[in-house]
């Protein structure tokens, strides 16, 4: 292998509002990195397949009611239950492309008016991403794309608040991509940064932890 003993996969997170194109871009990025022979896997949060994930899914589809603090902690627990698997995979050299992570966790709850430090607290100690790719789209544009589902949070007024929260969370390490561009152009912009980060981690960048 090209790497040394500290060689590992990269933790690459895609974030953005609902309908920003994250999910399509995640799988396109997977194919791209895969075509270079990198070991790469896709994850998404919430992961609705676990017990906790099923509680989240029932909440999102309005089949159950939970108060804002409780659902926040469940979203966080859903990341905690995947943490050791993620660390094992990264250390084994697999790059993880993750569709939503702790930033969504904080942004959606903070948008409801929960204290931001309280929102961040349960995320402390989770693996920090090596790269955050933010697919930037005005909430009005995302709404025009249609197909807002019938889930909680799927409405313009709330998405506007979430957009503001992402702006507060974002720092200079994030790569902001204009998600209003053609799909192919968005795809191109993700590729270069992601590949670069995969190579940096292959060379042995140490893992770091939230919350920086
Ligand atoms: N969401 C997602 C949260 O509110 N907190 C979180 O921690 C995460 C990961 O779940 N509207 C919200 C954002 C979405 C919803 O996500 C479902 P998706 O990507 O549509 O499956």
């Amino acid at each position: 292998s090209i790497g040394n003993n500290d060689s590992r996969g990269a933790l690459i997170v895609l974030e953005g509002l609902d309908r920003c194109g994250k999910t399509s871009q995640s799988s396109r990025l997977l194919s791209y990195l895969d075509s270079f022979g990198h070991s790469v896997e896709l994850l998404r949060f919430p992961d609705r397949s676990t017990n906790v994930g099923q509680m989240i899914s029932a909440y999102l589809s309005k089949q159950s009611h939970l108060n804002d603090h409780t659902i926040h902690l469940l979203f966080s627990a859903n990341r905690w239950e995947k943490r050791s698997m993620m660390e094992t995979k990264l250390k084994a050299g697999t790059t993880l492309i993750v569709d939503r992570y702790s930033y969504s966790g904080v942004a959606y709850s903070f948008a409801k008016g929960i204290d931001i430090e309280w929102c961040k607290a349960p995320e402390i100690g989770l693996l920090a991403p090596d790269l955050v790719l933010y697919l930037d789209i005005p909430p009005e544009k995302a709404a025009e794309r249609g197909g807002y589902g019938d889930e909680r949070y799927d409405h313009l007024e709330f998405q506007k608040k979430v957009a503001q929260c992402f702006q507060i969370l974002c720092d200079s390490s994030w790569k902001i991509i204009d998600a209003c561009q053609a799909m192919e152009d968005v795809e191109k912009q993700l590729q270069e940064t992601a590949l670069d980060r995969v190579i940096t981690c292959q060379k042995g960048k140490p893992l770091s932890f939230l919350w920086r």
Side-chain angles (χ1 to χ4, degrees):
S1 107
I2 325 165
N4 55 33
N5 285 339
D6 299 321
S7 180
R8 63 170 179 90
L11 180 55
I12 299 174
V13 168
L14 275 79
E15 284 284 9
L17 298 178
D18 291 278
R19 312 297 302 156
C20 72
K22 276 182 293 57
T23 305
S24 321
Q25 292 296 341
S26 300
S27 51
R28 284 167 177 239
L29 186 56
L30 175 103
S31 317
Y32 176 77
L33 295 175
D34 184 70
S35 74
F36 284 87
H38 293 294
S39 162
V40 52
E41 288 181 27
L42 212 61
L43 300 179
R44 70 177 307 157
F45 290 108
D47 177 338
R48 301 185 193 218
S49 71
T50 67
N51 288 332
V52 172
Q54 281 166 31
M55 291 175 73
I56 294 170
S57 189
Y59 169 81
L60 288 170
S61 62
K62 301 173 187 164
Q63 287 167 310
S64 76
H65 294 273
L66 293 168
N67 73 52
D68 294 342
H69 290 80
T70 306
I71 184 63
H72 181 80
L73 294 174
L74 288 179
F75 273 115
S76 184
N78 190 228
R79 284 181 281 281
W80 276 101
E81 62 185 344
K82 297 290 165 186
R83 187 197 181 285
S84 70
M85 172 275 281
M86 290 170 70
E87 184 168 351
T88 304
K89 292 205 167 175
L90 291 169
K91 286 184 170 165
T94 299
T95 284
L96 301 176
I97 298 172
V98 186
D99 182 352
R100 292 193 189 278
Y101 198 55
S102 302
Y103 310 96
S104 281
V106 174
Y108 282 78
S109 292
F110 182 38
K112 295 171 174 174
I114 303 181
D115 177 75
I116 191 164
E117 294 307 324
W118 190 92
C119 292
K120 285 177 162 184
E123 308 297 315
I124 295 172
L126 288 174
L127 303 172
D130 297 298
L131 176 62
V132 179
L133 298 163
Y134 185 73
L135 270 55
D136 192 23
I137 188 167
E140 293 81 2
K141 275 266 160 65
E144 278 169 23
R145 289 186 170 179
Y148 266 152
D150 197 24
E151 288 205 326
R152 279 182 217 269
Y153 313 147
D154 283 348
H155 55 92
L156 182 57
E157 285 318 304
F158 188 72
Q159 296 285 324
K160 284 184 188 169
K161 286 188 189 158
V162 176
Q164 289 172 355
C165 296
F166 272 126
Q167 243 170 51
I168 292 166
L169 286 174
C170 132
D171 66 41
S172 57
S173 72
W174 289 24
K175 168 95 177 158
I176 316 283
I177 291 130
D178 176 4
C180 296
Q181 302 171 92
M183 236 192 194
E184 292 69 25
D185 297 326
V186 175
E187 184 181 1
K188 281 239 162 64
Q189 290 197 16
L190 301 176
Q191 289 174 346
E192 204 181 329
T193 326
L195 187 58
D196 176 78
R197 213 54 58 100
V198 167
I199 289 162
T200 308
C201 293
Q202 220 169 33
K203 289 178 183 160
K205 175 177 177 275
L207 271 174
S208 56
F209 307 95
L210 293 177
W211 195 274
R212 290 167 295 180

